[in-house]
């Protein structure tokens, strides 16, 4: 469209959820589509996203970063998308990517600051740096032994988004690799 390439989001959907339940979708309006499935316990799981996503450099940057430092092989019981990095500005790029391309409400994205317990005395510095990037965001801070550096983590819970995210790369990777080899 207008010399730009777009991904039709419903084309990235498998026929079933990760638990084998049938997926459904319907147009909400000219720009958005609702995707859902009915869980066995009677609770419907749904997600509204844009009908098409522009495939540009910024989109592929977010996808690449996400694949590098995101949770890309979650267990079937894990419905979270996560991204973590010690470079807080990269976390900001992913935060913007989720909002700009997938239209997530910023209030649904949780932000965690994980500080090594031995750096607890320097926590103000890390918290201040995180608040510069996410001035309006609610940041939960944890002090943990398993971290060597302060790490900022984004998390959102959406089994439908997780399906789409995991399938986008699987659908595009062959084209990405083929185009890269043809250059």
């Amino acid at each position: 469209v207008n010399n730009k390439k777009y991904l039709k989001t419903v084309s990235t959907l498998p026929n079933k959820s990760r638990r084998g339940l049938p997926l459904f979708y319907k147009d909400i309006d000219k720009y958005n589509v609702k995707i859902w499935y009915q869980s066995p316990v009677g609770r419907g799981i749904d997600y509204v996203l844009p009908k098409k996503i522009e495939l540009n450099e910024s989109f592929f940057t977010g996808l690449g970063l996400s694949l590098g430092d995101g949770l890309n092989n979650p267990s079937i019981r894990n419905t979270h998308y996560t991204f973590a990095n010690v470079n807080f500005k990269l976390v900001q790029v992913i935060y913007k990517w989720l909002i700009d391309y997938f239209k997530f409400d910023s209030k649904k994205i949780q932000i965690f600051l994980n500080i090594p317990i031995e750096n607890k005395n320097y926590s103000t510095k890390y918290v201040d740096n995180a608040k510069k990037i996410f001035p309006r965001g609610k940041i939960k801070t944890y002090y943990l032994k398993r971290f060597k550096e302060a790490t900022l983590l984004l998390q959102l819970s959406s089994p439908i988004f997780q399906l789409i995210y995991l399938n986008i790369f699987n659908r595009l990777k062959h084209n990405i690799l083929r185009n890269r080899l043809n250059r």
Side-chain angles (χ1 to χ4, degrees), residues 147-162:
F147 287 89
K148 292 180 182 174
E149 295 183 57
T151 304
L152 201 55
L153 181 138
L154 296 182
Q155 185 177 67
L156 56 93
S157 178
S158 173
I160 302 283
F161 175 73
Q162 188 184 66

Side-chain angles (χ1 to χ4, degrees), residues 98-163:
L98 291 168
I99 292 169
D100 290 351
Y101 288 92
F102 299 100
K103 307 304 181 201
F104 266 100
D105 179 350
S106 63
K107 294 173 189 156
K108 295 192 182 227
I109 302 172
Q110 297 178 355
I111 305 167
F112 301 98
L113 175 58
N114 299 308
I115 300 173
I117 200 153
E118 62 268 8
N119 291 358
K120 195 171 185 174
N121 295 339
Y122 304 105
S123 64
T124 305
K125 175 181 94 172
Y126 299 122
V127 171
D128 289 347
N129 285 340
K131 284 186 177 180
K132 283 179 190 171
I133 293 172
F134 300 105
R136 290 184 218 111
K138 184 177 178 184
I139 302 169
K140 296 177 186 173
T141 304
Y142 295 96
Y143 301 97
L144 304 164
K145 288 182 181 180
R146 67 182 182 144
F147 287 89
K148 292 180 182 174
E149 295 183 57
T151 304
L152 201 55
L153 181 138
L154 296 182
Q155 185 177 67
L156 56 93
S157 178
S158 173
I160 302 283
F161 175 73
Q162 188 184 66
L163 271 175

Side-chain angles (χ1 to χ4, degrees), residues 10 19 33 35 37 39 62-63 68 76-77 88 97 105-106 139 143 152-153 165 172 183:
V10 295
R19 293 186 178 256
V33 62
I35 301 164
Y37 64 88
S39 76
L63 183 62
I76 199 162
R77 297 179 74 200
F88 292 7
W97 181 71
D105 179 350
S106 63
I139 302 169
Y143 301 97
L152 201 55
L153 181 138
Y165 163 73
L172 294 177
R183 284 187 178 182

Side-chain angles (χ1 to χ4, degrees), residues 165-174:
Y165 163 73
L166 292 172
N167 281 301
I168 283 175
F169 185 72
N170 289 330
R171 295 269 177 136
L172 294 177
K173 72 180 171 185
H174 299 294

Side-chain angles (χ1 to χ4, degrees), residues 21-118:
L21 301 168
L23 286 175
F24 305 97
Y25 64 91
K26 72 174 181 178
D27 292 347
I28 298 291
D29 56 32
K30 185 177 174 180
Y31 303 103
N32 299 297
V33 62
K34 179 180 178 178
I35 301 164
W36 77 94
Y37 64 88
Q38 191 67 37
S39 76
V41 293
R43 188 174 148 250
I45 309 295
D46 64 9
Y47 177 60
V48 175
L49 74 156
K51 285 183 183 180
K52 60 185 181 182
I53 297 171
E54 185 179 351
L55 298 177
N56 57 25
E57 186 176 330
S58 181
F59 173 80
F60 286 111
T61 297
L63 183 62
L65 287 170
S66 226
L67 291 167
D69 289 327
L71 178 61
N72 298 310
N73 194 14
S75 73
I76 199 162
R77 297 179 74 200
N78 183 349
T79 61
H80 295 97
Y81 164 86
T82 60
F83 179 84
N85 204 292
V86 297
N87 182 333
F88 292 7
K89 295 217 183 253
L90 287 181
V91 178
Q92 183 182 34
V93 168
I94 293 301
Y95 182 83
K96 188 171 175 6
W97 181 71
L98 291 168
I99 292 169
D100 290 351
Y101 288 92
F102 299 100
K103 307 304 181 201
F104 266 100
D105 179 350
S106 63
K107 294 173 189 156
K108 295 192 182 227
I109 302 172
Q110 297 178 355
I111 305 167
F112 301 98
L113 175 58
N114 299 308
I115 300 173
I117 200 153
E118 62 268 8

